[in-house]
Each structure stands twice: as structure tokens, then as C-alpha cells.
Amino acid sequence: MVPPPSSNHQAIQQFLSSVLSQHGTSALPYSEDTKWLIRQHLLSLTTTSPSLEPKTATFTHNDGRTVNLLQADGTVPITFISATYNIPVIIWLIESYPRHPPCVYVNPTRDMIIKRSHPFVNPSGLVSIPYLQDWIYPSSNLVDLARELSSVFGRDPPLFSQRPKPNPNPNYHPNQSSLGSVGNTGGGGGYPRPIVRPAQYPPYGSGGAVGKVEAEDAAEVHKRNVINKLVENVHGDMLQFSKTREAEMESWFRAQSVLRGREEEFNKGLKEMRDKMEGLELHLQVVLMNTDVLEAWVRENKGKLKGGSEDIDVDNAFECVDVLSNQMLECTAVDMAIEDAVYSLEKAVQEGAMPFDQYLRNVRLLSREQFFNRATAAKVRAAQMQAQVAGMAARAPRYAN
């Protein structure tokens, strides 16, 4: 197709930019995030189909509501029996476009009629071709819609030229018929009914002229029916194939989600194992340091034991190496002694050897002293840990080797 002149194309661009940029009560009822895509769809349509012109008009819904919408008004070319014709159509861009398909009507002139029982056009002119039913946002567009309309209407035109009503003739007899005669019932301008056999009238011509009446033979009718049936079967197979592929993709997405969850669990477990390994290495260094200290103590005190076990002073069997160790030993001994004393008091109360009020006073005093000793032990332990860390840092090159 020849693209529209540059001046006309610029005028259409200015028109669309103007109507789509309006705000307030005069704004078109399209969402702001889709107005740019609507503009692009209409510009592409006018480039490939110059006979379709974008306009604004009032659209009336089935419930009586009226709204100002964009439309593409004009004709779509078709090829029928080796001849080119133009089918007048109106493409309404409803409020939810492009997320939902547009509303397409054939727009017959006064000398045209809509074909009865057309598979894709109802008596009111509403078009429902498969492309509209399978509309997918954002891949579907007006250019492909116009091409699909030309293809579908080329196989089965929805409009035919209406022959003028014959003048009254005193010699006319109802039983007289010929291939070109048409009978009317009810005296109105209804659908023509051929008398001899069904005769379809050619669509509206590209130059506006009405073609002559041609009768189709049975072979052409059978051929067209077979083609339509084949198209329907192919369309059904495509839908089934699409549903199958969608189900497979859904299962793949679910498997991908499961694998991602497992990957997260694996990474989490790996991190925990690395943290635990670092903790074990630190603990190993502490054990090695303590082993060195114990071995040094054993070597130092190995020859000091001369007599038997009766000469050993239990209180002096172990000597603390520093003030912190001595303080920790005293706090630990007091804590364990208080534990034994509280246990003995509980036994005395159970056996009735001590009044309960005296038991409570003694336990309160012992608990207070035990609390202070444990707090002191905690502080000493923290100080010892700092000293150990400093010693480990000094010995680190040795153990690394």
C-alpha cells in the first residue's frame, strides 16, 4: 500500500497528540500509561491503511451510556473472485484498549446489505473474527487487525450490493422469474431473496460502483465451505496447541521456582557450614594454646611430688598463674559451695529439721552472695577471653606454619 502523504500524516500526528493530551472533562477515557501506545497503533494503521482515518465520535454502550472515543473510520480492501472491493468499517477503540480488543463494525451504505448468517458478522454489523477473540496485550495491534479483516472478508464478504426495486409493470406476474429477478415480502426494503437459486451480490466496489449480479455454482460454494471448515479446524488446533504449550510453560515456571528455593536453601546451608568451620578453627587454636599451657605446667611440676598422697595439700595442689585466674577460682568455689549449701537446706526443710521461714532467710542471703560471685566470674571470664585473643594473635604465625 502507498503510505499517506507526509502532510496528511503530520496532520494525523498533530490531531492524535492534541486529543490524547487533553485533561479534565474533555479528556478521552484512556489510561495515561496506554495513550502513547494508542497513538502509535493509530499512526501505524494510517501508514499501512491510508483509507482508515482516525476520528473522535460518541459511542453508545448497550446500557445507554455515551462516551467520546477514538475510532478508525474508512474501508479495508478485499479480493473476491479476482476483483478488488472496499468494505466500509469502523474500528472503535473502547476505554480499556489496548488491554482489550477494539469494537469493530461493518458500516454498510444505503445501497448495501449485510449478508445473512455470516459466521463473523451479526445482523447489527458487529464483527467477531478470531483475531479479536484471541486478542493478546501488548502484541496485538490495529495493523494486524486490518490485515485479518481483509483476509476473512476476502474469503466470505459480509456486504453485498442491493439491487433497486423493479418498477410496477401491469404485465408483471409473481410466478415469472429469471436469474436476475428478486422477490420482496412485506413491501419493505429487507434482504433480497433470489427465486431460482441463491445468488450472492458482489461487494461494494473500490471505486464506489456496484458490480453486476453473478450466480455462484455449487462447486464454488463447496470450495468456499471447505476452505472455511479448514480454517476453523486449523484455528482449533492452534488454540489446543497454545493451551498445551501454556500448561507446559506453567509447569516449567513451577519447577524453576522450586529450584530457586532449593538454591537459596543450599546457599544458606553453605554459609552456615563456613561460619561453623571458622568457629571450629578458632576453638582449635584455643585448645592448642591451652595444651601448650598444660604441658608447660606438667613439665614444671613433674619433679615436685616427692612423698605420698598424704603429704599433698589439696588447697595448694593447683596454683593460679595470674590474679584473674585466682579470682576466677575463688568465685567458682564459692558458687559451687553455695549450691551445695542450698541443696542441704532443701533436704533439711523436707525432713522437717528446719522451719520454713528460717529456710527462706538463709536462701535469700546465700542467693545474694551467689549472684555477686557469678557477676564477678562473668567479668573475669570476659577479661580472660580478651587476654586469650591477644595471645592467639601473637601465636598465630606459629600455628599457621
Side-chain angles (χ1 to χ4, degrees):
M1 295 183 182
V2 180
S6 59
S7 59
N8 187 29
H9 193 65
Q10 292 177 357
I12 292 174
Q13 287 182 344
Q14 295 177 358
F15 166 73
L16 292 176
S17 299
S18 175
V19 296
L20 290 174
S21 62
Q22 294 179 0
H23 297 281
T25 57
S26 60
L28 295 177
Y30 303 108
S31 59
E32 292 296 332
D33 59 335
T34 59
K35 285 185 178 180
W36 182 86
L37 185 59
I38 293 174
R39 178 178 179 275
Q40 293 301 116
H41 281 191
L42 287 172
L43 289 176
S44 300
L45 178 64
T46 55
T47 301
T48 57
S49 301
S51 59
L52 292 170
E53 181 182 0
K55 301 177 181 178
T56 56
T58 301
F59 181 80
T60 303
H61 289 277
N62 294 333
D63 56 2
R65 291 183 297 109
T66 58
V67 62
N68 195 31
L69 299 177
L70 280 169
Q71 63 169 216
D73 187 8
T75 60
V76 293
I78 68 169
T79 301
F80 181 71
I81 314 180
S82 302
T84 301
Y85 304 93
N86 288 328
I87 301 297
V89 297
I90 298 178
I91 304 175
W92 289 94
L93 274 58
I94 59 176
E95 297 94 320
S96 57
Y97 183 87
R99 291 185 171 86
H100 293 87
C103 191
V104 183
Y105 286 89
V106 294
N107 188 27
T109 59
R110 287 182 296 179
D111 57 347
M112 294 181 183
I113 58 174
I114 299 176
K115 178 183 177 182
R116 292 183 181 181
S117 303
H118 193 278
F120 302 117
V121 180
N122 66 11
S124 67
L126 179 64
V127 178
S128 59
I129 59 175
Y131 188 83
L132 292 172
Q133 298 172 1
D134 301 333
W135 185 273
I136 300 176
Y137 171 81
S139 59
S140 299
N141 55 77
L142 298 179
V143 174
D144 293 340
L145 173 61
R147 293 171 181 166
E148 191 68 18
L149 289 172
S150 298
S151 176
V152 172
F153 292 164
R155 294 192 298 267
D156 191 0
L159 298 178
F160 293 94
S161 302
Q162 185 176 11
R163 290 182 300 169
K165 185 177 180 180
N167 294 326
N169 190 345
N171 297 325
Y172 173 75
H173 192 275
N175 293 329
Q176 295 176 351
S177 63
S178 64
L179 185 61
S181 62
V182 177
N184 289 334
T185 59
Y191 301 119
R193 297 194 303 171
I195 296 177
V196 178
R197 58 180 179 179
Q200 293 184 336
Y201 305 106
Y204 185 65
S206 60
V210 179
K212 65 179 182 178
V213 180
E214 295 181 358
E216 294 182 334
D217 56 7
E220 286 293 332
V221 174
H222 177 71
K223 178 181 178 181
R224 189 172 66 251
N225 291 338
V226 170
I227 293 175
N228 292 336
K229 185 64 176 178
L230 180 61
V231 171
E232 292 178 1
N233 292 339
V234 172
H235 180 67
D237 293 341
M238 290 177 62
L239 288 178
Q240 185 64 30
F241 180 78
S242 176
K243 291 180 180 179
T244 304
R245 296 288 83 78
E246 288 177 359
E248 291 181 358
M249 291 180 63
E250 190 68 23
S251 64
W252 292 341
F253 285 142
R254 287 196 297 268
Q256 185 182 29
S257 177
V258 173
L259 291 176
R260 285 179 177 175
R262 293 179 179 176
E263 180 184 9
E264 293 177 357
E265 293 179 358
F266 175 78
N267 292 334
K268 182 179 178 181
L270 182 61
K271 183 177 180 301
E272 292 177 353
M273 293 178 64
R274 287 176 177 173
D275 294 341
K276 186 176 293 185
M277 183 177 66
E278 293 177 358
L280 291 174
E281 290 177 352
L282 180 62
H283 183 68
L284 177 60
Q285 293 180 1
V286 173
V287 170
L288 292 175
M289 183 185 69
N290 293 334
T291 302
D292 290 343
V293 172
L294 291 175
E295 288 178 352
W297 184 87
V298 169
R299 287 193 301 269
E300 182 180 355
N301 297 278
K302 185 176 181 180
K304 291 183 179 181
L305 187 60
K306 300 295 185 178
S309 60
E310 64 276 2
D311 298 331
I312 298 176
D313 186 3
V314 177
D315 293 333
N316 298 323
F318 294 93
E319 294 181 0
C320 298
V321 296
D322 53 15
V323 178
L324 292 176
S325 299
N326 189 24
Q327 192 174 6
M328 176 62 73
L329 180 61
E330 292 179 358
C331 292
T332 305
V334 173
D335 184 15
M336 300 179 81
I338 292 175
E339 285 288 340
D340 294 340
V342 172
Y343 177 76
S344 300
L345 291 175
E346 289 179 357
K347 287 293 185 180
V349 170
Q350 292 176 0
E351 295 174 358
M354 176 183 290
F356 187 72
D357 54 347
Q358 185 179 357
Y359 165 77
L360 292 178
R361 286 194 300 270
N362 293 330
V363 168
R364 184 165 56 250
L365 294 173
L366 292 173
S367 298
R368 179 181 177 85
E369 185 178 357
Q370 187 181 35
F371 170 77
F372 285 117
N373 280 276
R374 288 185 176 179
T376 304
K379 293 181 180 180
V380 172
R381 187 177 297 108
Q384 287 179 333
M385 183 60 68
Q386 292 180 357
Q388 288 180 355
V389 171
M392 288 169 55
R395 293 184 179 91
R398 171 187 171 187
Y399 295 112
N401 296 330

